[in-house]
Amino acid sequence: MMLTAHSGSDGTPDNSRQFIKEMLLAGIACVEVDVRRSQTGKLYLSHDKTFWSEAMLSLDNAFQILKTDSDALMNCDLKEPNLEQSVLALATQHNIQDRIILSGAVNLAHLPDPMYLKQVYYNAESIIPHLYLNWEMTKSQIDEIIQTCHTKGIETININYRLATNGVINRFHQEGLNLSVWTVNDFAEINRFRSADVKNVTTKYAISYLYQNVVRQAMGG
């Protein structure tokens, strides 16, 4: 299981230099950032739509920080459409294109190469727009998601953790599909997903979870 730090994890400012640097220093495997495009074409980090300012972190600067770590990944959660090619082109300039994960408003037709499919965590609500009206997936919804994944070559589906019951996890695994779940802040739930071999868990307490695991192991737990 990979642990991804949600933007602003462990009390750091959302989409900030401090957030990325602290997560990398702590050894977190992946950091999630929210990506938008300004009116002038600059890619920048922001959850909400707002005007770009120099006080905000650009994606270019975020990639420069990521490069200080030789292994960590960055999940670029696309907050608006038509960003795929620009994000991956910028990542290629930094030679980190294989360390980028795309989630959010991903249009698979806009990927510059089919090889990037393996780096997409495809949001389930992109298949079923009203999925989160209820906190339980029906069999027909599960079947539709699975069929779409097989048809489009999607390898990993991204869903809210409350829908990821053990039965749902097992069904996706039986179909050869990976699951990424968000945003899991309960350590017992993170451990459940670890035991169930879920591919990725995104949490707002990445360092805290990592630290408590280290302490438990040191105490022989």
Side-chain angles (χ1 to χ4, degrees), residues 3 5 9-10 12 18-31 68-69 72 205-211 214:
L3 192 71
S9 186
D10 297 276
T12 57
Q18 180 184 345
F19 158 65
I20 299 173
K21 288 180 177 180
E22 287 194 16
M23 297 306 119
L24 297 184
L25 184 62
I28 302 301
C30 183
V31 294
T68 65
D69 185 287
Y205 297 100
I207 293 177
S208 301
Y209 178 77
L210 195 65
Y211 178 74
V214 171

Short mmCIF file of all heavy atoms in Angstrom, two decimals, residues 3 5 9-10 12 18-31 68-69 72 205-211 214:
data_model
loop_
_atom_site.label_atom_id
_atom_site.label_comp_id
_atom_site.label_asym_id
_atom_site.label_seq_id
_atom_site.Cartn_x
_atom_site.Cartn_y
_atom_site.Cartn_z
N LEU A 3 1.14 5.28 0.75
CA LEU A 3 0.51 6.31 1.56
C LEU A 3 0.74 7.66 0.88
O LEU A 3 1.87 8.06 0.65
CB LEU A 3 1.11 6.32 2.97
CG LEU A 3 0.36 7.14 4.01
CD1 LEU A 3 -0.96 6.46 4.37
CD2 LEU A 3 1.22 7.31 5.27
N ALA A 5 0.06 11.77 1.04
CA ALA A 5 -0.29 12.89 1.91
C ALA A 5 -1.22 13.83 1.17
O ALA A 5 -0.86 14.41 0.14
CB ALA A 5 0.98 13.63 2.34
N SER A 9 -1.59 18.10 4.73
CA SER A 9 -1.47 17.03 5.71
C SER A 9 -0.71 17.50 6.95
O SER A 9 0.21 18.31 6.88
CB SER A 9 -0.74 15.84 5.08
OG SER A 9 -0.72 14.74 5.97
N ASP A 10 -1.13 16.98 8.09
CA ASP A 10 -0.46 17.21 9.37
C ASP A 10 -0.33 18.68 9.72
O ASP A 10 0.66 19.12 10.30
CB ASP A 10 0.91 16.52 9.38
CG ASP A 10 0.80 15.01 9.24
OD1 ASP A 10 0.60 14.34 10.25
OD2 ASP A 10 0.88 14.51 8.10
N THR A 12 -0.03 21.37 7.84
CA THR A 12 0.72 22.28 6.97
C THR A 12 -0.25 23.06 6.08
O THR A 12 -1.37 22.62 5.85
CB THR A 12 1.71 21.49 6.09
OG1 THR A 12 0.97 20.52 5.32
CG2 THR A 12 2.76 20.78 6.94
N GLN A 18 5.87 24.46 2.20
CA GLN A 18 6.04 23.81 3.50
C GLN A 18 5.44 22.42 3.50
O GLN A 18 6.06 21.47 3.99
CB GLN A 18 5.39 24.65 4.60
CG GLN A 18 5.53 24.03 6.00
CD GLN A 18 4.80 24.83 7.06
OE1 GLN A 18 4.41 25.98 6.84
NE2 GLN A 18 4.58 24.22 8.22
N PHE A 19 4.24 22.29 2.95
CA PHE A 19 3.59 20.99 2.88
C PHE A 19 4.45 19.98 2.14
O PHE A 19 4.75 18.89 2.65
CB PHE A 19 2.23 21.13 2.20
CG PHE A 19 1.69 19.85 1.60
CD1 PHE A 19 1.37 18.77 2.40
CD2 PHE A 19 1.55 19.73 0.22
CE1 PHE A 19 0.89 17.59 1.84
CE2 PHE A 19 1.08 18.56 -0.34
CZ PHE A 19 0.75 17.48 0.47
N ILE A 20 4.88 20.32 0.93
CA ILE A 20 5.64 19.36 0.12
C ILE A 20 6.97 19.04 0.80
O ILE A 20 7.36 17.86 0.91
CB ILE A 20 5.87 19.92 -1.30
CG1 ILE A 20 4.54 20.17 -2.00
CG2 ILE A 20 6.73 18.95 -2.12
CD1 ILE A 20 4.66 20.86 -3.35
N LYS A 21 7.68 20.05 1.27
CA LYS A 21 8.99 19.82 1.87
C LYS A 21 8.90 18.97 3.12
O LYS A 21 9.72 18.06 3.33
CB LYS A 21 9.66 21.16 2.18
CG LYS A 21 10.13 21.92 0.94
CD LYS A 21 10.80 23.24 1.33
CE LYS A 21 11.33 23.97 0.11
NZ LYS A 21 11.97 25.26 0.46
N GLU A 22 7.92 19.23 3.98
CA GLU A 22 7.80 18.45 5.21
C GLU A 22 7.44 17.00 4.92
O GLU A 22 7.94 16.08 5.58
CB GLU A 22 6.77 19.08 6.15
CG GLU A 22 7.25 20.36 6.80
CD GLU A 22 6.38 20.80 7.97
OE1 GLU A 22 5.58 19.97 8.48
OE2 GLU A 22 6.49 21.97 8.37
N MET A 23 6.58 16.77 3.93
CA MET A 23 6.21 15.40 3.60
C MET A 23 7.41 14.64 3.03
O MET A 23 7.66 13.48 3.38
CB MET A 23 5.06 15.37 2.59
CG MET A 23 3.76 15.98 3.11
SD MET A 23 3.16 15.29 4.67
CE MET A 23 3.19 16.77 5.70
N LEU A 24 8.19 15.29 2.16
CA LEU A 24 9.35 14.62 1.58
C LEU A 24 10.39 14.33 2.66
O LEU A 24 11.00 13.26 2.67
CB LEU A 24 9.96 15.49 0.48
CG LEU A 24 9.08 15.77 -0.74
CD1 LEU A 24 9.87 16.57 -1.78
CD2 LEU A 24 8.54 14.50 -1.35
N LEU A 25 10.59 15.29 3.56
CA LEU A 25 11.57 15.10 4.63
C LEU A 25 11.18 13.94 5.53
O LEU A 25 12.05 13.22 6.03
CB LEU A 25 11.68 16.39 5.45
CG LEU A 25 12.74 16.41 6.56
CD1 LEU A 25 14.15 16.23 5.97
CD2 LEU A 25 12.66 17.71 7.36
N ALA A 26 9.89 13.74 5.71
CA ALA A 26 9.41 12.65 6.57
C ALA A 26 9.43 11.30 5.86
O ALA A 26 9.17 10.27 6.50
CB ALA A 26 7.99 12.96 7.06
N GLY A 27 9.69 11.29 4.57
CA GLY A 27 9.74 10.03 3.83
C GLY A 27 8.39 9.55 3.32
O GLY A 27 8.23 8.36 3.04
N ILE A 28 7.43 10.46 3.18
CA ILE A 28 6.12 10.09 2.64
C ILE A 28 6.28 9.76 1.15
O ILE A 28 6.95 10.48 0.41
CB ILE A 28 5.10 11.22 2.83
CG1 ILE A 28 4.97 11.57 4.32
CG2 ILE A 28 3.76 10.85 2.23
CD1 ILE A 28 4.53 10.42 5.19
N ALA A 29 5.65 8.68 0.72
CA ALA A 29 5.87 8.17 -0.63
C ALA A 29 5.29 9.05 -1.72
O ALA A 29 5.83 9.11 -2.83
CB ALA A 29 5.29 6.75 -0.76
N CYS A 30 4.18 9.75 -1.43
CA CYS A 30 3.50 10.52 -2.46
C CYS A 30 2.81 11.72 -1.83
O CYS A 30 2.26 11.61 -0.72
CB CYS A 30 2.48 9.64 -3.19
SG CYS A 30 1.61 10.45 -4.56
N VAL A 31 2.85 12.85 -2.52
CA VAL A 31 2.15 14.05 -2.06
C VAL A 31 1.10 14.44 -3.09
O VAL A 31 1.33 14.33 -4.30
CB VAL A 31 3.12 15.22 -1.81
CG1 VAL A 31 4.05 14.90 -0.66
CG2 VAL A 31 3.93 15.56 -3.06
N THR A 68 14.05 17.32 -5.44
CA THR A 68 15.04 17.21 -4.37
C THR A 68 15.00 15.84 -3.72
O THR A 68 15.90 15.47 -2.97
CB THR A 68 14.83 18.29 -3.30
OG1 THR A 68 13.57 18.09 -2.65
CG2 THR A 68 14.87 19.68 -3.93
N ASP A 69 13.94 15.08 -4.00
CA ASP A 69 13.80 13.70 -3.51
C ASP A 69 13.86 12.79 -4.73
O ASP A 69 13.23 13.06 -5.75
CB ASP A 69 12.48 13.53 -2.77
CG ASP A 69 12.34 12.16 -2.14
OD1 ASP A 69 12.13 11.17 -2.88
OD2 ASP A 69 12.42 12.06 -0.91
N ALA A 72 10.11 10.07 -4.37
CA ALA A 72 8.72 10.43 -4.09
C ALA A 72 7.93 10.72 -5.35
O ALA A 72 8.46 11.19 -6.35
CB ALA A 72 8.67 11.63 -3.14
N TYR A 205 -3.26 12.83 7.54
CA TYR A 205 -2.37 12.59 8.68
C TYR A 205 -1.25 11.63 8.30
O TYR A 205 -0.98 10.66 9.00
CB TYR A 205 -3.17 12.04 9.87
CG TYR A 205 -4.20 13.02 10.38
CD1 TYR A 205 -5.54 12.90 10.02
CD2 TYR A 205 -3.84 14.09 11.19
CE1 TYR A 205 -6.49 13.80 10.47
CE2 TYR A 205 -4.77 15.00 11.65
CZ TYR A 205 -6.09 14.85 11.29
OH TYR A 205 -7.03 15.75 11.73
N ALA A 206 -0.60 11.91 7.19
CA ALA A 206 0.41 10.99 6.66
C ALA A 206 1.59 10.82 7.61
O ALA A 206 2.00 9.70 7.92
CB ALA A 206 0.89 11.47 5.29
N ILE A 207 2.16 11.93 8.08
CA ILE A 207 3.31 11.85 8.98
C ILE A 207 2.90 11.22 10.30
O ILE A 207 3.62 10.38 10.85
CB ILE A 207 3.93 13.24 9.20
CG1 ILE A 207 4.55 13.77 7.91
CG2 ILE A 207 5.00 13.19 10.30
CD1 ILE A 207 5.12 15.17 8.02
N SER A 208 1.74 11.60 10.81
CA SER A 208 1.27 11.05 12.09
C SER A 208 1.09 9.54 11.99
O SER A 208 1.47 8.80 12.91
CB SER A 208 -0.07 11.71 12.48
OG SER A 208 0.08 13.10 12.61
N TYR A 209 0.51 9.07 10.88
CA TYR A 209 0.33 7.63 10.71
C TYR A 209 1.67 6.93 10.60
O TYR A 209 1.90 5.88 11.22
CB TYR A 209 -0.51 7.34 9.47
CG TYR A 209 -0.70 5.86 9.22
CD1 TYR A 209 -1.60 5.12 9.97
CD2 TYR A 209 0.05 5.20 8.24
CE1 TYR A 209 -1.76 3.76 9.76
CE2 TYR A 209 -0.10 3.84 8.02
CZ TYR A 209 -1.00 3.13 8.78
OH TYR A 209 -1.14 1.78 8.58
N LEU A 210 2.57 7.49 9.82
CA LEU A 210 3.89 6.90 9.66
C LEU A 210 4.62 6.84 10.99
O LEU A 210 5.22 5.82 11.34
CB LEU A 210 4.69 7.71 8.65
CG LEU A 210 5.96 7.07 8.07
CD1 LEU A 210 5.61 5.84 7.25
CD2 LEU A 210 6.71 8.08 7.20
N TYR A 211 4.52 7.90 11.77
CA TYR A 211 5.21 7.98 13.06
C TYR A 211 4.67 6.95 14.04
O TYR A 211 5.44 6.26 14.73
CB TYR A 211 5.09 9.38 13.64
CG TYR A 211 5.75 9.53 14.99
CD1 TYR A 211 7.13 9.60 15.11
CD2 TYR A 211 4.98 9.60 16.15
CE1 TYR A 211 7.74 9.73 16.35
CE2 TYR A 211 5.57 9.73 17.39
CZ TYR A 211 6.95 9.80 17.49
OH TYR A 211 7.53 9.92 18.72
N VAL A 214 6.05 3.59 13.28
CA VAL A 214 7.45 3.46 13.71
C VAL A 214 7.54 3.21 15.20
O VAL A 214 8.29 2.35 15.68
CB VAL A 214 8.25 4.72 13.32
CG1 VAL A 214 9.64 4.70 13.97
CG2 VAL A 214 8.38 4.83 11.81
#
